């Protein structure tokens, strides 16, 4: 390209390598954060399932008592 001189081409190639490494690092961190978010959602779903199980037990005990 006429925009870059021959003396600046090595610097441009170094800059390209650095940006490739940076984008790969960003992709890696994005994947790690996605995995952490999925783990958090799974833990919250398990806690909610435990709470729903307890509420179901109480409902199974007290609903028939209200009819009596």
């Amino acid at each position: 390209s006429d925009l870059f001189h021959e003396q600046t081409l090595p610097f441009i190639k170094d800059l390209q390598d650095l940006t490739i490494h940076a984008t790969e690092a960003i992709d890696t961190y994005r994947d790690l954060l996605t995995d952490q978010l999925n783990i958090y959602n799974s833990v919250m779903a398990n806690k909610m399932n435990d709470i729903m199980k307890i509420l179901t037990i109480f409902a199974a005990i007290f609903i028939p008592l209200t009819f009596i």
Side-chain angles (χ1 to χ4, degrees):
S1 174
D2 294 336
L3 298 175
F4 301 113
H5 297 291
E6 288 292 325
Q7 298 146 343
T8 59
L9 284 179
F11 298 111
I12 300 297
K13 289 180 182 178
D14 286 340
L15 182 62
Q16 181 183 11
D17 288 339
L18 289 173
T19 55
I20 289 171
H21 288 301
T23 54
E24 288 174 356
I26 289 170
D27 289 338
T28 302
Y29 290 135
R30 186 190 69 223
D31 292 339
L32 288 172
L33 284 173
T34 302
D35 292 342
Q36 290 292 324
L37 183 63
N38 289 335
I39 290 170
Y40 173 76
N41 287 334
S42 296
V43 168
M44 288 296 121
N46 284 337
K47 285 183 182 181
M48 188 171 63
N49 286 339
D50 290 340
I51 291 171
M52 292 301 291
K53 182 171 45 174
I54 292 171
L55 290 175
T56 303
I57 291 170
F58 280 123
I61 292 171
F62 289 115
I63 286 176
L65 294 176
T66 59
F67 289 128
I68 294 175

